[in-house]
Amino acid sequence: MTDLRAAVAAQRGRIRADLERLVRIPSVAFEGFDPGPVRESAEATAEILREAGVPDVRLIDVPGGHPAVFGELPAPAGAPTVLLYAHHDVQPAGPEELWSTPPFEPVERDGRLYGRGAADDKSGIAIHAAAIRAFDGRPPVGVKVLVEGEEEATTDNLPRLIRENRDRFAADAVIVADSGNRRTGEPTLTTTLRGVVDCTVEVRTLERPVHSGAYGGGAPDALMALIKALATLQDERGSCAVPGLASMPWAGAEEPEDDFRREAGVLEGVELVGEGPLAERLWTRPAVNVIGIDAPPVHGARNILVDRARAVVSLRLAPTDDPERALDLLVDHLRRAVPWGARFTVTGGDPGRGFACRIDGPAYAVARRALAEAYGRPAVEVGSGGSIPLVPALAEVLPGAEILLMGAMDDRSNIHAQDESVDLAEVERAALAEALLLRYLAG
């Protein structure tokens, strides 16, 4: 461990330089954004991996999508092969005036590097490169590196490519560096990911808008009909009220309510929703929310009854629930809940499957050991309320491989929001943990 710790520490400037180089590239893969920076980011990622000691690195042009990066170091005789995953695309920056500094100009403050993608997930690329470099490009296991180019934007393309090219991505274990630690300096393994489905609901009641004075009290308002239907999605405590959805117990670390309230920005005096252990509410039970609604804006509102109204409903699922079945249950519930015989149409979005990792295998055991040694304290287990779309596909394609979710994000990373950041010391510790894990996987 001493040798690897020194090898990673010696890269401190290089790790930061890699991150800064990547953060400067606005690699947003969403429709409507310039695709050029995404390709530039893929090329920069490939160059970083080559410089780390992976000679066989190439871009994978994903049909209909943005390029991924794949590299490979063959396994020494008798050694296992480990697939390392990250993604080089990022969320849009949003309104730049909300950022303390420009989102694509990396800035260090108090040991943290700020910029879009610094944590999610360009830190994962820096971790993988540093872990490989710690062995002078000759790790004791076979290494395959897969860096996705559109994780934030779509789930359509790369999972299909992986299913069609199973041999290329075959591995005995997978390290997904698209997660992080519950708190800064607290080594963490993420063991569950919730699934997700969504749908767009439209309710129609009238041929056209009509005067609320002349017709109100008799003619049905589409917005009120939609509100009534949406209100049935949660019970009086705010728990998901869609019947038939799965839940599962949680046996890992509990989520402290005070910490959660602070991190979520819950206003003083406002109650949390749901019942039971907070960790279960966040990680292993369904949760439903309205994430968008089309209705007349307050500014310029007129005295009319609304003829049609739309909303987007997002449903997070227990890690083991079936998303197609869950979407059917959600749609059936909404259809029954729409009042007054209002016309109801629904369009389903892309379902995302959840994931629960195997925690009794040898790779998981040595991952806990590696994290504890790198951080100087025992590792904890948490779940994630979000999802990583590629992970269920990898679990399907590589049924015998253990999948380990770890990384450098922490409770202050503010991913997907303004002032995203990563603790540079946390990136170094995560790289050391990954290097140790590769050594231990070699036996």
Side-chain angles (χ1 to χ4, degrees):
M1 187 180 73
T2 301
D3 292 344
L4 286 179
R5 187 182 296 277
V8 172
Q11 302 178 50
R12 192 165 295 151
R14 185 62 174 274
I15 292 170
R16 175 174 172 170
D18 287 346
L19 257 180
E20 289 182 341
R21 177 183 180 183
L22 292 169
V23 169
R24 288 191 180 97
I25 305 171
S27 51
V28 180
F30 282 73
E31 186 176 352
F33 287 80
D34 181 2
V38 185
R39 178 165 288 275
E40 180 186 355
S41 178
E43 291 169 346
T45 297
E47 188 172 324
I48 288 169
L49 292 173
R50 289 190 195 100
E51 291 171 349
V54 186
D56 183 16
V57 182
R58 55 195 178 277
L59 268 59
I60 301 175
D61 286 311
V62 179
H66 296 275
V69 181
F70 181 76
E72 184 172 5
L73 283 164
T81 294
V82 182
L83 176 64
L84 309 178
Y85 169 84
H87 64 86
H88 66 89
D89 67 307
V90 299
Q91 283 280 323
E96 290 200 17
E97 62 271 17
L98 298 179
W99 288 72
S100 301
T101 52
F104 296 107
E105 294 180 16
V107 174
E108 182 185 349
R109 296 195 298 272
D110 299 324
R112 300 186 70 88
L113 188 71
Y114 286 80
R116 173 58 86 226
D120 184 19
D121 179 38
K122 292 177 176 181
S123 67
I125 302 168
I127 289 168
H128 293 328
I132 294 168
R133 202 180 287 121
F135 296 101
D136 292 326
R138 297 185 299 275
V141 295
V143 168
K144 297 179 179 180
V145 187
L146 174 62
V147 184
E148 189 175 3
E150 51 187 13
E151 191 271 350
E152 302 286 8
T154 179
T155 62
D156 290 343
N157 298 315
L158 194 58
R160 182 173 63 250
L161 181 73
I162 286 176
R163 292 185 181 100
E164 293 170 354
N165 297 272
R166 294 172 181 248
D167 291 343
R168 175 189 291 183
F169 303 104
D172 301 289
V174 181
I175 302 175
V176 177
D178 189 16
S179 184
N181 298 324
R182 185 169 68 159
R183 304 286 180 270
T184 310
E186 184 175 11
T188 303
L189 283 162
T190 298
T191 61
T192 61
L193 303 170
R194 281 199 294 197
V196 63
V197 295
D198 64 74
C199 63
T200 300
V201 182
E202 182 176 78
V203 174
R204 296 182 58 194
T205 56
L206 305 169
E207 293 180 353
R208 61 192 180 282
V210 296
H211 192 281
S212 61
Y215 298 98
D221 182 322
L223 184 55
M224 289 301 298
L226 178 61
I227 290 170
K228 283 180 171 289
L230 296 177
T232 68
L233 292 171
Q234 295 183 344
D235 64 19
E236 65 279 0
R237 287 289 306 131
S239 296
C240 180
V242 178
L245 297 172
S247 294
M248 60 180 286
W250 173 252
E254 184 51 76
E255 180 70 3
E257 183 173 323
D258 289 345
D259 291 342
F260 174 78
R261 293 181 66 92
R262 172 178 49 80
E263 292 165 17
V266 179
L267 298 177
E268 186 175 353
V270 176
E271 299 178 4
L272 300 185
V273 298
E275 295 180 292
L278 182 56
E280 287 190 7
R281 283 182 267 167
L282 298 174
W283 301 331
T284 61
R285 294 183 188 175
V288 64
N289 292 282
V290 177
I291 60 172
I293 193 163
D294 286 342
V298 171
H299 180 71
R302 298 177 294 155
N303 288 321
I304 61 168
L305 302 181
V306 176
D307 59 319
R308 67 176 66 193
R310 295 195 309 164
V312 179
V313 178
S314 175
L315 175 62
R316 297 287 175 171
L317 306 174
T320 54
D321 207 353
D322 177 74
E324 287 81 8
R325 184 188 74 94
L327 181 58
D328 289 341
L329 292 172
L330 173 62
V331 171
D332 288 346
H333 176 90
L334 287 167
R335 182 177 287 110
R336 291 192 300 269
V338 172
W340 312 322
R343 303 283 180 85
F344 170 86
T345 57
V346 62
T347 304
D350 295 330
R353 191 170 295 275
F355 173 74
C357 82
R358 176 186 172 191
I359 62 174
D360 60 351
Y364 190 84
V366 295
R368 291 182 63 89
R369 175 186 172 190
L371 283 164
E373 291 178 354
Y375 284 79
R377 57 189 297 186
V380 299
E381 298 170 355
V382 302
S384 172
S387 58
I388 303 174
L390 193 66
V391 168
L394 288 171
E396 174 191 332
V397 172
L398 308 175
E402 293 184 60
I403 299 179
L404 309 166
L405 283 78
M406 46 200 285
M409 303 176 209
D410 60 20
D411 55 309
R412 297 181 289 163
S413 286
N414 221 33
I415 63 172
H416 293 205
Q418 68 272 14
D419 287 351
E420 178 180 347
S421 70
V422 69
D423 186 295
L424 290 168
E426 203 81 326
V427 179
E428 186 176 325
R429 286 188 286 263
L432 174 59
E434 183 168 297
L436 287 166
L437 176 52
L438 295 179
R439 175 169 285 175
Y440 295 151
L441 287 172

